[in-house]
């Protein structure tokens, strides 16, 4: 049952087979005898052909064998219940040959792969005519073998061909109507999906405008915060006369822009929550999910920068759910720096393992590395070696902020060079107790 639940196409074929076993014998009772008292022509043949075209997973030989045996048995049972002078041998002689018709038909359908031509009804119709003629001949030969005489004349052959044409016309008509209905249903479904996608794109476009404004505000806040830091640092170290009113004004502007970011983020979150209503948000997440988010985000970031970067990661040990925002802030900052450091193509590797009561991260990249004279400066606020296309330097806040966060969590961070200084590895150790939900 589990296998069937995991294979909806096969389950659908089984439903078709059951319906086929019920419908074909009943349709076969709408019949007439054009040649002799044993050769019957009925609506069972076109019904059988129609059902064979619907199978996708089950080979047509299997339903052909089962249906042929069941039709012969059904007709014998019908004789038993409807004829007072019922004789098993006579009934068997009258109906056994129908098995050969259905079985031959199914073998030929399987051999010609007719189910693959569902977009070509004329091919199915032409092949169906030939297959039915050969199946009729198979049934007549089975009867002739038992009766030891040939029951077919040239006039009979003409009638078989005419009946085969009429049956194929009926089947192709119903089959084409069914395919037309399926096409119309798909068209309605696709139209509905397109309308839904247009609505999503429209909503996402609105949210992207708010997000772009947020990014601009964040960039401005970062610069103003660093300018304020330098002013306060100069006031502390040099005792210079930095106007207090100027610092108060800068701090007020920063607070105002942070408030704007908060409002914009609330709008963005509200909009995205409606688009992704089935996603539950939580402060604590599985580590594999967190790393997946980091990798996918930075793959997109690399594509945005026009870089071809391959990401790999490995996780060892059993990990509890970690605080999502802390982890994203720390690890994503290091990985994003690695993306920016790689010039055109490269690799970034993230390795995480649990060591008793702490979790250790190693983020490595094969970028140009860090110059020895800059190694002791990378965690200093304001230090940067990155410039945009216009020559404007980065704020140099990222690594210093990461270091502060790590130390506040009672962890440590270090950087190492690879061979010939061509590979950089950041190592971070954090106590698990400071990353997990307090019981």
């Amino acid at each position: 049952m589990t296998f069937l639940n995991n294979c909806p196409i096969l389950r659908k074929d089984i439903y078709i087979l059951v319906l086929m076993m019920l419908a074909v014998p009943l349709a076969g009772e709408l019949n007439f005898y054009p040649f002799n008292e044993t050769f019957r022509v009925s609506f069972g043949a076109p019904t059988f052909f129609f059902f064979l075209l619907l199978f996708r997973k089950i080979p047509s030989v299997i339903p052909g064998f089962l249906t042929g045996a069941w039709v012969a048995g059904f007709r014998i049972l019908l004789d038993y219940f409807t004829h007072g002078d019922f004789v098993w041998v006579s009934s068997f002689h009258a109906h056994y040959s129908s098995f050969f018709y259905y079985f031959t038909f199914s073998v030929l359908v399987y051999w010609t792969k007719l189910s693959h031509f569902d977009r070509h009804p004329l091919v199915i119709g032409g092949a169906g005519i030939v297959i039915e003629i050969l199946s009729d001949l198979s049934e007549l030969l089975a009867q002739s073998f038992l009766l030891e005489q040939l029951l077919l004349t040239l006039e009979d052959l003409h009638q078989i061909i005419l009946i085969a044409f009429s049956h194929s016309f009926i089947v192709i008509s119903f089959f084409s109507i069914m395919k037309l209905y399926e096409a119309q249903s798909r068209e309605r479904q696709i139209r509905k999906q397109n309308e839904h996608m247009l609505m999503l794109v429209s909503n996402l476009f609105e949210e992207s405008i708010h997000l772009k404004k947020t990014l601009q505000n964040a960039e401005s806040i970062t610069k103003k915060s660093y300018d304020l830091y330098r002013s306060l640092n100069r006031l502390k170290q040099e005792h210079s006369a930095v106007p207090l009113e100027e610092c108060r004004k800068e701090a007020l502007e920063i607070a105002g822009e942070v408030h704007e970011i908060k409002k914009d983020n609330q709008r963005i979150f509200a909009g995205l929550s409606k688009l992704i209503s089935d996603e539950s948000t939580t402060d604590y997440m599985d580590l594999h999910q967190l790393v997946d988010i980091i990798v996918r985000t930075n793959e997109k970031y690399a594509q945005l920068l026009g870089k071809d970067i391959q990401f790999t990661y490995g996780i060892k040990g059993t990990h509890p759910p970690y605080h999502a925002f802390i982890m994203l802030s720390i690890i994503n900052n290091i990985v994003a720096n690695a993306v920016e450091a790689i010039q055109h193509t490269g690799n970034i590797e993230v390795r995480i393992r649990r060591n008793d009561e702490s979790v250790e991260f190693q983020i490595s990249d094969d970028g140009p590395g860090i110059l020895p004279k800059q190694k002791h400066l990378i965690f200093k606020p304001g230090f940067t070696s990155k410039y945009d296309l216009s020559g404007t330097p980065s704020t140099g806040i990222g690594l210093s902020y990461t270091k502060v966060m790590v130390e506040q969590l009672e962890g440590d961070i270090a950087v190492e060079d690879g061979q010939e200084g061509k590979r950089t590895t950041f190592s971070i150790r954090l106590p698990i107790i400071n990353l997990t939900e307090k019981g």
Side-chain angles (χ1 to χ4, degrees), residues 228-261:
L228 180 59
Y229 164 82
R230 292 178 60 185
S231 298
L232 295 175
N233 196 44
R234 190 164 62 248
L235 176 63
K236 176 182 177 181
Q237 294 180 356
E238 302 176 1
H239 302 287
S240 58
V242 178
L244 183 60
E245 184 62 29
E246 182 179 334
C247 292
R248 291 176 66 252
K249 182 179 178 181
E250 288 183 7
L252 183 60
E253 290 178 356
I254 291 171
E257 293 193 16
V258 168
H259 183 64
E260 284 294 310
I261 288 181

Side-chain angles (χ1 to χ4, degrees), residues 208-225:
S208 69
I209 295 175
H210 292 300
L211 183 58
K212 186 174 182 180
K213 176 179 177 292
T214 300
L215 292 174
Q216 292 175 344
N217 286 343
E219 184 67 25
S220 174
I221 288 171
T222 305
K223 184 178 184 305
K224 289 180 179 179
S225 298

Side-chain angles (χ1 to χ4, degrees), residues 322-338:
Y322 291 135
H323 195 287
F325 308 132
I326 293 176
M327 296 290 286
L328 291 175
S329 295
I330 295 175
I331 308 304
N332 193 60
N333 208 333
I334 303 294
V335 176
N337 276 348

Side-chain angles (χ1 to χ4, degrees), residues 83-274:
H83 291 76
D85 55 346
F86 174 78
V87 179
W88 284 100
V89 175
S90 300
S91 182
F92 176 79
H93 287 175
H95 301 301
Y96 85 97
S97 59
S98 59
F99 166 81
F100 292 93
Y101 172 86
Y102 289 106
F103 184 65
T104 302
F105 202 113
S106 64
V107 170
L108 293 175
V109 168
Y110 176 76
W111 181 69
T112 54
K113 308 293 184 185
L114 272 190
S115 60
H116 295 172
F117 295 93
D118 56 351
R119 296 179 182 273
H120 305 280
L122 293 180
V123 174
I124 294 177
I129 293 171
V130 176
I131 289 173
E132 180 162 352
I133 293 172
L134 294 176
S135 300
D136 285 333
L137 294 176
S138 172
E139 182 177 359
L140 285 170
L141 286 174
Q143 291 179 1
S144 300
F145 176 79
L146 185 65
L147 300 176
E148 297 181 352
Q149 60 176 332
L150 184 62
L151 302 176
L152 182 67
T153 65
L154 185 60
E155 183 181 354
D156 294 339
L157 182 60
H158 288 163
Q159 292 190 47
I160 287 175
I161 295 173
L162 181 62
I163 293 170
F165 266 95
S166 63
H167 282 176
S168 287
F169 176 79
I170 293 171
V171 171
I172 294 307
S173 298
F174 278 103
F175 190 72
S176 298
I177 291 172
M178 186 192 71
K179 287 297 178 182
L180 179 61
Y181 176 77
E182 289 180 353
Q184 291 174 342
S185 297
R186 283 196 299 268
E187 183 183 358
R188 287 193 295 269
Q189 184 178 4
I190 291 173
R191 189 187 307 117
K192 185 176 180 180
Q193 291 175 345
N194 288 340
E195 291 173 355
H196 181 63
M197 288 298 297
L198 286 174
M199 182 191 71
L200 290 179
V201 170
S202 176
N203 290 337
L204 288 174
F205 177 74
E206 295 175 5
E207 303 307 328
S208 69
I209 295 175
H210 292 300
L211 183 58
K212 186 174 182 180
K213 176 179 177 292
T214 300
L215 292 174
Q216 292 175 344
N217 286 343
E219 184 67 25
S220 174
I221 288 171
T222 305
K223 184 178 184 305
K224 289 180 179 179
S225 298
Y226 180 60
D227 290 341
L228 180 59
Y229 164 82
R230 292 178 60 185
S231 298
L232 295 175
N233 196 44
R234 190 164 62 248
L235 176 63
K236 176 182 177 181
Q237 294 180 356
E238 302 176 1
H239 302 287
S240 58
V242 178
L244 183 60
E245 184 62 29
E246 182 179 334
C247 292
R248 291 176 66 252
K249 182 179 178 181
E250 288 183 7
L252 183 60
E253 290 178 356
I254 291 171
E257 293 193 16
V258 168
H259 183 64
E260 284 294 310
I261 288 181
K262 177 186 175 182
K263 291 193 298 183
D264 287 339
N265 283 342
Q266 286 175 335
R267 283 192 291 266
I268 294 171
F269 179 76
L272 293 180
S273 295
K274 293 179 181 178

Side-chain angles (χ1 to χ4, degrees), residues 267-284:
R267 283 192 291 266
I268 294 171
F269 179 76
L272 293 180
S273 295
K274 293 179 181 178
L275 298 179
I276 318 173
S277 58
D278 59 335
E279 293 289 335
S280 60
T281 57
T282 176
D283 290 348
Y284 296 87

Side-chain angles (χ1 to χ4, degrees), residues 339-373:
V339 171
E340 295 169 353
I342 294 174
Q343 295 179 348
H344 301 292
T345 61
N347 298 279
I348 296 177
E349 183 180 22
V350 179
R351 296 294 172 194
I352 305 173
R353 67 186 179 94
R354 180 169 180 171
N355 186 11
D356 294 330
E357 299 304 318
S358 64
V359 57
E360 298 179 359
F361 305 85
Q362 284 192 333
I363 299 100
S364 304
D365 69 82
D366 55 2
I370 301 172
L371 296 176
K373 64 181 180 180

